[in-house]
Amino acid sequence: MQKNSNIEIDFRSDTVTRPTDKMREAMASAEVGDDYYRDDPTVRALEDYTARLFEKESALFTPSGTQSNLIAVMSHCAQGEAYIVGDQSHSYLRELGGAAVVASVQPQVIPNQSDGTLAVTDIEAALYPASILFSPARMIALENTFNGQILPIDYLQQVSALARQRSLRMHLDGARIFNAARALNVHVCEIAQHFDTISFCLSKGLGAPVGSLLVGTRDTIEKGRRHRQLLGGGLRQAGILAAAGLYALNNHIERLTEDHKRAKRLAKALADIPGVTPDIPQTNMVFCAVNPAVQDHFAAFLLDRQIAVSGTASRQRWVTHLDIGEATLTRTLDHLTEFAKQTVAA
Ligand SMILES: *Cc1c(COP(=O)(O)O)cnc(C)c1O
């Protein structure tokens, strides 16, 4: 199969997975129709299945997580209103400011703590009294997992209680919510029940080529359907893509545990390299600090072995996923052991 010729083992992201043969078979045999008319049975099946899985009323298939987060903002907040969001969150930092640029909704930004949470005291301080001067906040957005870290369930309870008390909606950017649920060994509803809307990606650890879903009440999702149209996200015979999503939800959730175990083994091997200090991974991401003394040497070694990672020279990110199987991981661990020996000897 064709791929980036300089990369043999790709740890940059769980978005790099390619559909498996079985997933491609499901796509090839999908029944399709024009989804503008709600005539695509496979899209409807995916949306219905997802709504049931999350124990919510309704779900909407979207082309991306970026769009699905933006649709949530537009569905919960009117022009000139505000939403509370973390300064390091994907939806604020890495989505080109869509809430402000497209929706005219003001992000009320507060710092993410290092564990990905927003301090409840910070949220309370950001809720200004009703006044002609302030944009009223309508929604709190959290992210789970956050850089591979899981938000504790009791924290979600705390924030959703505050949101109810203050009549705010709760949105979860749950791009990797299934990683969080698997790692906590809970059903995804245990997380989802604290939110009005949840966005999650089919195209990451679940291994589908394209797509996200937004889940919520029937009213919110029907509003969201109009916003998706406005954003150019209405699709026609999207059943081809929805079939990949259905296949992923039926076959690729439980196996996320394997990615998590492999991330732990990877972290262990990285820890054996002098000058490399990995965080303990909670799910499928390993972040490691790389000492300036080994940075160039390590980068050159990885390049030579055609191993790709993301992050920066001083803080690398390694992501495990469907296309890092047992053989590939073993090969990687062998390379890392070799590099550790070289580095000790030097
Ligand atoms: C990937 C990601 C998104 C956006 O998803 P796309 O499908 O790439 O637009 C949103 N939030 C988080 C946390 C992500 O990791």
Side-chain angles (χ1 to χ4, degrees):
M1 205 165 294
Q2 198 74 33
K3 58 179 179 179
N4 189 329
S5 57
N6 299 321
I7 299 177
E8 179 62 33
I9 307 181
D10 199 344
F11 286 100
R12 287 173 302 172
S13 176
D14 46 10
T15 56
V16 302
T17 56
R18 284 150 300 145
T20 62
D21 291 343
K22 281 190 173 161
M23 183 179 277
R24 284 171 187 267
E25 278 169 30
M27 295 171 76
S29 61
E31 256 191 86
V32 296
D34 190 337
D35 192 48
Y36 268 46
Y37 298 108
R38 310 291 308 279
D39 272 354
D40 190 301
T42 311
V43 171
R44 296 190 74 124
L46 173 64
E47 291 177 342
D48 290 349
Y49 181 83
T50 302
R52 280 201 306 279
L53 184 62
F54 279 75
E55 295 178 9
K56 299 281 186 198
E57 287 174 5
S58 213
L60 181 69
F61 184 49
T62 67
S64 70
T66 299
Q67 187 174 101
S68 167
N69 279 331
L70 181 53
I71 291 170
V73 168
M74 294 172 85
S75 303
H76 294 311
C77 312
Q79 224 179 16
E81 294 182 337
Y83 80 113
I84 291 176
V85 64
D87 65 345
Q88 299 301 313
S89 68
H90 197 284
S91 67
Y92 172 67
L93 197 58
R94 298 175 194 276
E95 296 180 10
L96 292 160
V101 174
V102 181
S104 300
V105 171
Q106 162 150 303
Q108 184 88 27
V109 184
I110 60 182
N112 278 104
Q113 305 299 306
S114 60
D115 64 359
T117 60
L118 306 177
V120 173
T121 48
D122 286 345
I123 299 175
E124 282 172 331
L127 293 173
Y128 300 137
S131 153
I132 198 167
L133 298 177
F134 300 133
S135 310
R138 297 293 184 215
M139 168 185 134
I140 302 172
L142 298 179
E143 184 176 316
N144 193 12
T145 60
F146 174 87
N147 289 338
Q149 300 179 101
I150 305 161
L151 303 189
I153 302 263
D154 60 352
Y155 168 76
L156 303 182
Q157 254 157 5
Q158 230 182 317
V159 179
S160 73
L162 173 67
R164 261 198 314 279
Q165 199 185 9
R166 303 297 193 96
S167 303
L168 295 173
R169 298 283 182 86
M170 288 277 287
H171 173 67
L172 180 66
D173 178 355
R176 297 186 177 84
I177 190 174
F178 290 102
N179 292 89
R182 284 304 290 167
L184 290 172
N185 202 18
V186 298
H187 191 275
V188 73
C189 296
E190 297 289 314
I191 299 171
Q193 65 173 337
H194 301 292
F195 296 90
D196 297 289
T197 47
I198 302 103
S199 163
F200 72 91
C201 292
L202 296 166
S203 56
K204 296 192 170 163
L206 295 181
V210 175
S212 283
L213 283 116
L214 182 68
V215 198
T217 63
R218 190 162 291 112
D219 278 0
T220 307
I221 295 303
E222 283 317 305
K223 251 181 157 176
R225 195 175 293 283
R226 293 185 63 83
H227 291 130
R228 183 185 69 175
Q229 191 67 21
L230 174 67
L231 297 172
L235 301 171
R236 302 290 186 177
Q237 284 74 29
I240 300 264
L241 301 173
L246 267 173
Y247 183 87
L249 291 175
N250 282 305
N251 296 281
H252 291 169
I253 292 179
E254 264 149 46
R255 63 153 306 286
L256 291 172
T257 305
E258 293 172 34
D259 296 342
H260 301 169
K261 286 185 188 155
R262 290 188 179 122
K264 287 206 165 67
R265 287 161 64 198
L266 194 56
K268 226 164 139 239
L270 287 163
D272 286 340
I273 301 171
V276 176
T277 315
D279 298 346
I280 296 168
Q282 295 181 17
T283 56
N284 67 330
M285 289 187 192
V286 185
F287 284 86
C288 58
V290 186
N291 190 305
V294 294
Q295 268 171 27
D296 291 349
H297 191 192
F298 194 26
F301 179 85
L302 293 177
L303 191 66
D304 177 66
R305 299 306 151 99
Q306 304 194 337
I307 297 173
V309 301
S310 55
T312 63
S314 61
R315 190 163 165 81
Q316 295 176 341
R317 186 184 81 158
W318 298 63
V319 186
T320 54
H321 52 75
L322 190 59
D323 288 5
I324 304 283
E326 194 50 35
T328 308
L329 183 79
T330 307
R331 223 162 358 117
T332 307
L333 298 182
D334 289 346
H335 288 312
L336 293 178
T337 305
E338 186 194 334
F339 183 72
K341 279 187 193 145
Q342 279 178 22
T343 313
V344 173

